[in-house]
Amino acid sequence: MILSGAVAAIKDWFKENIFLVEADRSIEPEDAPFTIVRATEKGQYIQLHDQMQPNTALVWLIEHQYAVRTFAEQLPSLQEIFIQQVKERIDA
């Protein structure tokens, strides 16, 4: 069996602490307490460092004068999780 359990629990188990941030300007990563993973038309995707809480990142953005319009956790789809798990089993 590849996956078993409630959908929400499975997605929570495989989340990577990645959040979409839409702000009034691009985030400058020099002293940010997170990593910018990629930027798109929608905004920038940030990955929180180990044990960092989302509120800490949001507070940092606000304290650095970013007008945040969107701050949304990005959870993987079941399809993405399934493909990842199958690949890991093949590579093992």
Side-chain angles (χ1 to χ4, degrees):
M1 182 178 302
I2 302 291
L3 298 173
S4 176
V7 171
I10 292 170
K11 286 184 173 189
D12 191 57
W13 179 263
F14 287 95
K15 69 182 179 181
E16 298 176 325
N17 290 324
I18 295 177
F19 291 78
L20 169 62
V21 178
E22 290 182 72
D24 60 330
R25 64 187 194 281
S26 291
I27 301 166
E28 299 299 324
E30 290 84 37
D31 60 344
F34 44 76
T35 302
I36 297 173
V37 179
R38 68 183 182 277
T40 67
E41 300 163 356
K42 291 182 181 180
Q44 291 173 285
Y45 290 84
I46 64 170
Q47 186 168 31
L48 305 185
H49 294 161
D50 291 335
Q51 305 303 315
M52 180 181 210
Q53 296 297 312
N55 285 349
T56 304
L58 190 54
V59 166
W60 185 91
L61 290 164
I62 292 168
E63 286 177 348
H64 286 80
Q65 307 301 312
Y66 290 96
V68 178
R69 292 187 295 270
T70 301
F71 187 82
E73 185 171 21
Q74 304 298 293
L75 296 175
S77 68
L78 284 181
Q79 179 180 5
E80 292 168 331
I81 295 168
F82 180 80
I83 290 169
Q84 174 190 352
Q85 292 301 298
V86 169
K87 284 181 180 178
E88 286 179 10
R89 286 184 181 215
I90 290 171
D91 293 340

